[in-house]
């Protein structure tokens, strides 16, 4: 089992920045590929970014490419999402997830409770 707890969300003006954290506990964190998803009101959960430790590769949704950066610190068992140049359309609940390498939320086994990000115009 892997337990995931997100933090770092909040209210920010358009153009601002936030850094989300996802603290993991349970099984060996470094063994798991991890990702960030988000869900806006009335919309389906969508992929944001993925990190695969073994291959040290990252992948981003087109909507956040160049603005968001996913990273992980295996010594701290923590996944991060640095979000810059935020836009109102980035407003959503952000979730970290572990256990798959796809872009489909249904493929992931472990989820955090989510953290709210609100970007005002």
């Amino acid at each position: 089992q892997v337990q995931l707890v997100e933090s770092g969300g909040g209210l920010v003006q358009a153009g601002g920045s936030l850094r989300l954290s996802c603290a993991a506990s349970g099984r060996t964190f470094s063994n798991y590929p991890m990702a960030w998803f988000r869900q806006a009101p009335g919309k389906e959960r969508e992929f944001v970014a993925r990190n695969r430790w073994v291959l040290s590769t990252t992948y981003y949704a087109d909507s956040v490419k160049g603005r968001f950066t996913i990273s992980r610190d295996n010594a701290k068992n923590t996944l991060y999402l640095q979000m810059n140049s935020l836009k109102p359309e980035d407003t959503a609940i952000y979730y970290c997830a572990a256990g798959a390498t796809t872009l489909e939320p249904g493929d992931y086994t472990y989820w955090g409770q989510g953290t709210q990000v609100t970007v005002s115009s």
Side-chain angles (χ1 to χ4, degrees):
Q1 282 281 38
V2 174
Q3 292 78 43
L4 305 173
V5 179
E6 302 96 334
S7 61
L11 173 64
V12 64
Q13 288 189 331
S17 298
L18 283 173
R19 188 176 80 156
L20 306 183
S21 299
C22 173
S25 61
R27 290 187 176 177
T28 305
F29 174 75
S30 61
N31 290 346
Y32 287 85
M34 298 192 71
W36 288 97
F37 289 81
R38 67 186 182 186
Q39 188 165 17
K43 295 187 176 182
E44 294 187 351
R45 195 167 296 189
E46 65 174 3
F47 170 81
V48 175
R50 182 190 71 198
N51 173 281
R52 297 182 64 180
W53 172 248
V54 174
L55 298 179
S56 246
T57 57
T58 57
Y59 184 80
Y60 299 92
D62 288 343
S63 58
V64 306
K65 199 173 296 182
R67 300 187 298 122
F68 291 11
T69 302
I70 187 172
S71 63
R72 64 195 293 166
D73 185 336
N74 284 341
K76 295 183 178 180
N77 286 353
T78 303
L79 180 75
Y80 301 101
L81 185 67
Q82 177 67 44
M83 305 185 296
N84 299 328
S85 302
L86 283 162
K87 304 175 182 180
E89 51 264 42
D90 294 319
T91 295
I93 300 174
Y94 283 71
Y95 299 89
C96 66
T101 58
T102 71
L103 309 186
E104 295 300 322
D107 293 338
Y108 285 74
T109 306
Y110 305 105
W111 290 88
Q113 83 290 348
T115 185
Q116 176 71 48
V117 171
T118 303
V119 184
S120 63
S121 56

